[in-house]
Amino acid sequence: MCYAPAVLTAAHPPPASNVIELRGLPSHVGIIMDGNGRWAQQRGLDRSEGHRAGSAAVRRVVRAARRLGLRALTVYAFSEQNWARPELEVGALMDLLKEFLLAERSEILHNGIRLQAIGNLGRLPAFVRAVLDPLRNESANNEAMTLTLALSYGGREEIALAARELADDVKKGRISADQITTESLRARMPSLAVGDPDLVIRTGGEQRISNFLLYGLAYAELAFSEKLWPDFDAPDLYAAIGSYQQRERRFGKTGAQVRAPTQVTP
Ligand code: IPE
Ligand code: IPE
Ligand code: MG
């Protein structure tokens, strides 16, 4: 299937959920996809059924993001801390991950999506790597949108790894300690290869970060949705982006400064 170009209109007054302003879109959106377990429990189902429904939501939201023309979408699918869940649940999640990758392969490739993965990928089972790695390679030159799966991912772990790498550079004499800067740390973080996240959405009603993209979150706008992840759909993504578009990002400056027209130097 190919994506039709988005037919979307200007949004005044604030966007209805199925209408979105195409100017001022966030470039990189991160999503903490939470609430699968509760969705299943509310229906008397096994938690794994919630994850299955969550997988369908990923498909819908990736399509919507691609149609909108977002440059990068990073989805938090499995945290380093999620390994502590019951073995059966972890196993079901890994099976679903493999199924998702197999089912989405052709759509990813046909729609110019570059699939990446961040996190401690060495912990993933071989049967997941066997489908993940070829798809990362096959899609590596696609340019329409980068879809990053955060798998066995932890923001603290990513920072610690970057620090370890820089420490090793110092030890080997490649750089001096005073060359360690915010930028050299950033350069060691795969999660930020597509730029800092502009907007991070968390579903499921909790208002916390749970170890997602910690370093890159410094100036991200946050949006929290009460919806459980399996119920999240394109209009909810548009609503979060609409809210983002209403905000003024100041990056430490005053409002007047960021609203001032660019000064031309003679
Ligand atoms: C998010 O849903 C998916 C993963 C963390 C893998 P949860 O499984 O955390 O769902 P709740 O929070 O228990 O409802
Ligand atoms: C965050 O959800 C991780 C993912 C969505 C993959 P959790 O359900 O693991 O977060 P906590 O435990 O509620 O903070
Ligand atoms: Mg949860």
Side-chain angles (χ1 to χ4, degrees):
M1 163 190 174
C2 275
Y3 297 106
V7 182
L8 300 159
T9 59
H12 298 291
S17 52
N18 57 351
V19 176
I20 193 162
E21 169 69 77
L22 284 178
R23 271 169 301 167
L25 288 175
S27 168
H28 179 190
V29 173
I31 308 185
I32 303 172
M33 310 183 293
D34 195 28
N36 294 352
R38 279 164 285 165
W39 185 93
Q41 278 156 357
Q42 283 172 6
R43 288 161 177 76
L45 301 170
D46 190 78
R47 290 177 61 87
S48 64
E49 290 306 317
H51 296 311
R52 180 173 295 282
S55 177
V58 179
R59 183 170 308 135
R60 294 194 301 267
V61 169
V62 169
R63 281 182 184 167
R66 170 69 182 84
R67 259 195 323 264
L68 271 182
L70 298 188
R71 303 297 310 151
L73 178 69
T74 300
V75 293
Y76 201 9
F78 192 82
S79 75
E80 187 75 348
Q81 288 65 36
N82 288 148
W83 290 112
R85 291 192 177 194
E87 212 178 304
L88 264 179
E89 181 169 343
V90 171
L93 278 162
M94 294 300 140
D95 288 344
L96 278 168
L97 178 56
K98 178 189 160 190
E99 264 181 50
F100 174 85
L101 291 166
L102 285 174
E104 297 311 298
R105 180 181 171 277
S106 81
E107 207 166 305
I108 285 172
L109 294 175
H110 284 113
N111 287 285
I113 297 174
R114 180 161 65 118
L115 183 97
Q116 289 193 333
I118 51 170
N120 188 357
L121 306 182
R123 278 189 90 172
L124 297 173
F127 68 84
V128 169
R129 292 297 295 271
V131 285
L132 176 64
D133 294 344
L135 189 49
R136 287 161 76 200
N137 288 332
E138 281 178 285
S139 66
N141 295 323
N142 286 352
E143 291 183 343
M145 181 176 91
T146 300
L147 170 63
T148 304
L149 305 179
L151 300 170
S152 192
Y153 176 84
R156 286 181 170 175
E157 287 77 359
E158 187 180 30
I159 294 171
L161 187 59
R164 242 180 352 258
E165 287 178 8
L166 288 174
D168 194 50
D169 283 348
V170 173
K171 193 169 131 201
K172 301 210 164 105
R174 290 194 281 258
I175 58 168
S176 62
D178 58 14
Q179 283 175 292
I180 297 177
T181 62
T182 55
E183 284 310 313
S184 66
L185 261 170
R186 167 204 301 282
R188 299 284 178 163
M189 298 204 192
S191 67
L192 304 181
V194 290
D196 284 3
D198 299 297
L199 168 66
V200 170
I201 302 166
R202 182 177 186 134
T203 64
E206 313 290 357
Q207 302 200 349
R208 56 177 173 253
I209 295 303
S210 302
N211 208 15
F212 189 47
L213 303 184
L214 291 183
Y215 195 79
L217 276 173
Y219 278 100
E221 298 295 329
L222 306 178
F224 297 100
S225 167
E226 289 299 316
K227 281 212 178 168
L228 301 173
W229 175 249
D231 293 327
F232 199 82
D233 208 339
D236 304 300
L237 176 70
Y238 301 160
I241 291 176
S243 149
Y244 168 88
Q245 289 169 322
Q246 310 279 320
R247 304 183 196 183
E248 181 175 74
R249 303 183 75 190
R250 292 194 279 271
F251 300 98
K253 296 182 178 174
T254 68
Q257 280 178 299
V258 296
R259 285 189 296 271
T262 316
Q263 296 202 344
V264 182
T265 41

